[in-house]
Amino acid sequence: MLNNLGNLDRCQNRMEEARLAFEEELATSRQLARKNPQAYLPSVATALNNLGVLYRDQNQVEEARQAFEEALAIRRRLAKQKPEAYLPKVADTLNNLGVLYSEHKQVKEAGQAYEEALKTYRQLAKQNPQTYLPNQAMALNNLGNLHFYQHRMQEARRAYEEALSTYRQLAKQDPETYLPRVATSLNNLGILHREQKQVREARLAYGEALTIYRQFAKLASETYLPDVANTLSELGILECQENHLELAGKAYDEELAIRRQLAKQSPRNCLPDLAMTLNNIGVLDTAQNRMNDARRAFEEALKIYRDSAKQSPERYQTDVERVEKLLKGLDAKSNPAK
């Protein structure tokens, strides 16, 4: 019950309540495991994994690492006795560790965790593809993202393409579940194509992803409209790079309308994304010599970032400084005599 309550609180962004539930779950599981480790050590590992995810979300890096590593050690031990039951849990924890390391630029450690997780999921998928192919594809996407960050483009491409192929295969049987994941893989490939100046391939990938996300946003706007906006943002960046400024403007304008709608529904979560979009529009307006429009966009973005920085300065102060610099550059262009 504590586990279920903690997960519900975390989904509702009630982090302190989630922490209390998971910590009580862990204390209770440890107490029970002293008397009957075979029955309750799995519960200890589950509670540790839950706490690790919570700590990671709250940027408590060392606490998250310790929780994941203890959970991993327990699950490795259990997997030696019952591999069919606990190897999937080992892989899940490795993936969580990989995400943590990746977020904090510990590239070597992230790579080791992702590679072992992928190897384990491949092994499991051979025996039970319906259950574990999705996990295999997820690990491939994560590994592809890491390779991309390291500028290992060929390795990233292979990982993304295998993930996309796997999700397409799964989507034939269950489109409702797996078509959005097809779109995620297409987005990843689109970014890779864009970085490698493969413009046509990038447009095709973004276009197919947009088609899928739009289709699902009609059914569940709260879930999929952010994905529509994110893909429009990537498309806008591509068109800016190719100096197709009118096409970029159309993508950004549609994205902006979505961001405003989402920010009204959930200002805490969505206002920073709105600021990012306004920042991009300001840059585009500057390139088109529309200085008054650029100023309005930058000033609105700056206000949002400043408000956000009051709550999380370590996260948003860099954004504040970046937009302030853009506004100063705009002033210099508008008043060259000064």
Side-chain angles (χ1 to χ4, degrees), residues 17 26 56 63 65 68 73 82 89 93 99 111 133 149 152 164 178-179 190 241 250 264 279 290 319 327-328 335:
E17 292 88 341
L26 178 60
R56 187 182 67 201
E63 293 88 341
R65 185 189 62 77
F68 286 142
K82 291 185 178 180
K89 300 290 187 183
T93 310
V99 172
L133 272 178
Y149 173 76
R152 298 168 59 180
L164 176 59
Y178 293 111
L179 269 179
Q241 288 178 351
K250 287 180 179 178
K264 286 180 182 177
N279 177 86
R290 295 161 51 177
D319 295 308
L327 272 168
K328 286 180 182 177
N335 303 286

Side-chain angles (χ1 to χ4, degrees), residues 254-291:
E254 185 181 353
E255 178 196 359
L256 180 63
I258 294 170
R259 298 289 191 201
R260 290 198 188 282
Q261 176 183 338
L262 293 169
K264 286 180 182 177
Q265 299 165 359
S266 180
R268 181 176 177 180
N269 294 327
C270 298
L271 274 173
D273 291 327
L274 172 59
M276 176 197 69
T277 306
L278 287 161
N279 177 86
N280 290 344
I281 288 173
V283 171
L284 179 63
D285 285 335
T286 303
Q288 294 176 302
N289 207 34
R290 295 161 51 177
M291 298 306 185

Side-chain angles (χ1 to χ4, degrees), residues 32-53:
L32 293 165
R34 291 190 192 105
K35 299 176 183 178
N36 190 344
Q38 188 171 354
Y40 292 106
L41 269 177
S43 299
V44 173
T46 297
L48 285 163
N49 193 69
N50 287 338
L51 274 171
V53 172

Side-chain angles (χ1 to χ4, degrees), residues 304-322:
I304 294 169
Y305 280 137
R306 281 176 173 164
D307 290 343
S308 299
K310 291 175 185 176
Q311 305 297 323
S312 301
E314 72 289 343
R315 189 171 178 183
Y316 294 110
Q317 187 57 38
T318 303
D319 295 308
V320 169
E321 292 167 4
R322 186 188 70 250

Side-chain angles (χ1 to χ4, degrees), residues 86-106:
Y86 294 109
L87 263 181
K89 300 290 187 183
V90 169
D92 291 345
T93 310
L94 284 163
N95 186 71
N96 282 333
L97 263 174
V99 172
L100 176 71
Y101 289 138
S102 185
E103 285 176 351
H104 294 278
K105 310 299 185 281
Q106 294 174 265

